Amino acid sequence: MSYEQKLMAMKKLVKKKPMTKEPVQKRELPTPPLYEEQWLAEGLIKETNKYGVVYKKVVEYGPDYKHGDINLSQLTAVLDKWSHTKEKHPLAPDAAKRIVFFDTETTGLKGAGTLIFLLGFIEQIGESFQMTQYVLPGPDHEAAFLYASKLWEEEVTLITYNGKSFDVPQLQTRWTMNRNILPPLLTHDHIDLLHGSRRVWKEELSTFKLTHIEEHKLGFLREGDIPGHLAPIIYQDAVKSGHAATLMKVLLHNEWDILSLVSLYIRSTELILEIDRPETAVSHTNIGKWFSDLKFYERSGKIFEKTLESYGENHPVTQFHFGFILKRNLSYDEAVHSFGVASENLTGRMRIIALEELAKLYEHRLKDLAPALSYTQQAQMHLNDDESLSESFRSREKNHFLKREMRLRRKLFPGEAQEKT
């Protein structure tokens, strides 16, 4: 008998165990908290789903509702403008997806033990807006709490403030902790207005805290607000004692945060899309620079041109950035003018770069070597004298300008020694 035949014979002697299906253990739902009546008495609404209990607050805002200086219904016009804009901007939403403004409150800043205890959403429904805030009754109801968000149901566009660094990662962490219970969390589009605000108001606002932006850009000043760092303490007390009166102030704090997201989205995107909207030379220049960084040079150039027309030709930062657009458009004489204004009025890195661009233009485009050498020497002087420059930048640029000077001198004075004395 061959080896293979022996193996087959032995295999027949082995008795197969019948397949048994493991019994599915039914998950027992956590019981509602003892303080339910106290929370309901404060205006919260009970919602039950297949994972347990969650409490919520729902607020409707009519078409005439204003948050600060901004009417929420202006969102319709803003979205319409985005739909007619050919450039794909980071603040432009996908027209095929619902837009949901989203914010959370948590029991801490980080760590696996940090819970989200409040999920807040607002979206436009017809001409009005509806805000829904879900409150976590306790850790044993977390699956019900997350499930109630419906973020597993349909892909949407979430609009947050610092959500890419905080709210969404926290949400993903908590969802992962409940991954064996909940349906998968979908991957949603995400617009973070903190990044947009920094791009629009860089060098203009001293801080990018949402409350500071509310006061200086949205016309909204909070009265009777609780400090954000007290929210976790207030929530933990409400769960321990059952008293929800102060907890409702946390919900109001969150409500103002989310309303400000709508107003801020309207305000910042109107500035980005409407070139004639009055603001400041700084913010309009920042917007033009943003479009330039996105390689939308035509729109960027129009914004710089309009900024100089509105705020004066001698705005050096605008001229600095406009110079690169003009150079790209082969408008070399105009680019020389822009970089000239920048080099005479700026300091630091931007002055050095403007002088470098002037030297390049005169040497390679205008074929006038004397001014190219003059601007090179000016840059070398500032590299020695300007204390605001970093040592790495100073060293690198000194080397570049030394090579440029030697090359220009060879062209201008062929009989001179080749090394700088």
Side-chain angles (χ1 to χ4, degrees):
M1 183 182 291
S2 69
Y3 179 72
E4 289 79 5
Q5 289 173 327
K6 289 180 180 179
L7 283 177
M8 293 300 296
M10 292 175 63
K11 187 176 179 181
K12 292 177 181 179
L13 296 174
V14 177
K15 293 182 179 179
K16 294 183 179 179
K17 292 184 179 180
M19 295 291 291
T20 57
K21 194 173 182 181
E22 291 290 331
V24 177
Q25 293 183 354
K26 188 176 180 181
R27 183 174 177 270
E28 292 186 8
L29 294 183
T31 58
L34 298 175
Y35 45 79
E36 179 176 271
E37 289 187 8
Q38 294 169 275
W39 281 30
L40 296 178
E42 292 294 339
L44 294 176
I45 302 168
K46 181 179 179 179
E47 178 177 305
T48 304
N49 58 44
K50 61 182 179 179
Y51 298 111
V53 172
V54 64
Y55 299 91
K56 66 182 182 180
K57 177 185 174 185
V58 180
V59 183
E60 302 275 348
Y61 305 91
D64 297 326
Y65 186 86
K66 291 182 72 174
H67 183 71
D69 297 332
I70 297 173
N71 192 309
L72 299 189
S73 64
Q74 292 172 241
L75 180 65
T76 302
V78 163
L79 297 177
D80 183 64
K81 288 185 177 71
W82 277 127
S83 69
H84 291 90
T85 302
K86 59 182 180 180
E87 298 93 352
K88 178 59 178 175
H89 192 276
L91 297 192
D94 183 342
K97 296 181 179 179
R98 287 170 40 232
I99 293 176
V100 180
F101 296 86
F102 171 59
D103 188 41
T104 68
E105 301 293 336
T106 65
T107 58
L109 295 179
K110 60 181 179 178
T114 298
L115 295 175
I116 301 172
F117 69 84
L118 178 57
L119 291 167
F121 305 89
I122 190 171
E123 62 179 307
Q124 190 170 22
I125 301 175
E127 295 184 353
S128 300
F129 287 78
Q130 180 175 289
M131 179 178 293
T132 305
Q133 295 167 292
Y134 295 100
V135 186
L136 176 68
D140 50 345
H141 290 274
E142 186 176 36
F145 170 71
L146 296 173
Y147 184 82
S149 72
K150 295 184 174 61
L151 292 174
W152 51 271
E153 197 172 63
E154 173 192 0
E155 290 184 4
V156 300
T157 297
L158 295 176
I159 299 182
T160 69
Y161 197 82
N162 197 32
K164 286 187 177 180
S165 298
F166 185 75
D167 300 88
V168 171
Q170 290 281 8
L171 179 68
Q172 291 168 337
T173 297
R174 297 319 308 170
W175 214 282
T176 299
M177 300 298 286
N178 291 272
R179 64 186 179 278
N180 295 328
I181 304 172
L182 294 173
L185 175 65
L186 297 178
T187 301
H188 302 281
D189 289 354
H190 192 175
I191 297 173
D192 192 330
L193 295 182
L194 172 59
H195 303 301
S197 298
R198 284 175 173 163
R199 291 300 306 244
V200 173
W201 291 298
K202 181 182 178 182
E203 307 296 339
E204 188 173 330
L205 292 176
S206 59
T207 175
F208 287 92
K209 289 183 178 179
L210 184 58
T211 51
H212 188 78
I213 292 178
E214 288 173 346
E215 185 175 347
H216 289 84
K217 297 299 176 183
L218 306 181
F220 180 69
L221 183 63
R222 301 189 183 211
E223 295 182 2
D225 189 26
I226 62 160
H229 68 273
L230 292 181
I233 300 171
I234 293 170
Y235 168 72
Q236 289 164 356
D237 178 71
V239 171
K240 185 177 180 180
S241 68
H243 299 160
T246 310
L247 179 62
M248 300 308 290
K249 293 184 179 181
V250 176
L251 269 69
L252 180 60
H253 172 89
N254 179 258
E255 180 180 346
W256 284 341
D257 282 350
I258 299 173
L259 289 170
S260 290
L261 293 182
V262 184
S263 294
L264 179 56
Y265 187 68
I266 292 169
R267 176 66 190 276
S268 55
T269 53
E270 281 182 342
L271 285 175
I272 290 167
L273 296 177
E274 296 181 21
I275 196 170
D276 294 321
R277 181 169 288 273
E279 177 70 1
T280 66
V282 173
S283 58
H284 282 299
T285 300
N286 289 339
I287 292 168
K289 175 65 165 53
W290 199 355
F291 276 108
S292 178
D293 291 342
L294 294 168
K295 303 188 187 313
F296 300 136
Y297 301 114
E298 182 180 355
R299 182 182 282 268
S300 175
K302 289 179 179 178
I303 293 171
F304 291 140
E305 194 171 8
K306 183 66 178 179
T307 302
L308 293 171
E309 177 187 315
S310 301
Y311 299 101
E313 290 287 319
N314 291 324
H315 194 269
V317 178
T318 310
Q319 292 282 18
F320 176 83
H321 294 299
F322 193 30
F324 289 99
I325 302 297
L326 293 168
K327 179 182 175 181
R328 184 180 182 83
N329 293 339
L330 310 183
S331 301
Y332 300 129
D333 290 329
E334 291 88 344
V336 163
H337 171 72
S338 288
F339 285 124
V341 173
S343 68
E344 292 169 8
N345 295 278
L346 295 174
T347 60
R349 292 171 61 99
M350 294 180 80
R351 175 168 59 185
I352 301 299
I353 294 170
L355 289 168
E356 184 178 27
E357 290 300 321
L358 286 166
K360 288 179 182 178
L361 285 166
Y362 273 106
E363 180 182 1
H364 302 298
R365 302 303 179 186
L366 302 178
K367 307 300 182 182
D368 192 347
L369 301 181
L373 180 59
S374 175
Y375 287 121
T376 297
Q377 291 170 334
Q378 287 183 49
Q380 290 172 316
M381 178 188 69
H382 291 306
L383 284 168
N384 288 323
D385 298 341
D386 193 337
E387 296 180 356
S388 68
L389 299 172
S390 69
E391 285 305 315
S392 60
F393 178 81
R394 191 193 311 275
S395 176
R396 183 175 65 251
E397 291 300 310
K398 276 186 175 182
N399 185 48
H400 290 167
F401 278 106
L402 179 58
K403 292 179 179 178
R404 183 177 298 278
E405 182 187 17
M406 292 173 64
R407 182 176 66 249
L408 289 168
R409 283 187 177 278
R410 283 196 299 270
K411 292 178 180 180
L412 280 166
F413 315 110
E416 275 195 358
Q418 298 303 302
E419 292 187 8
K420 184 182 178 186
T421 58

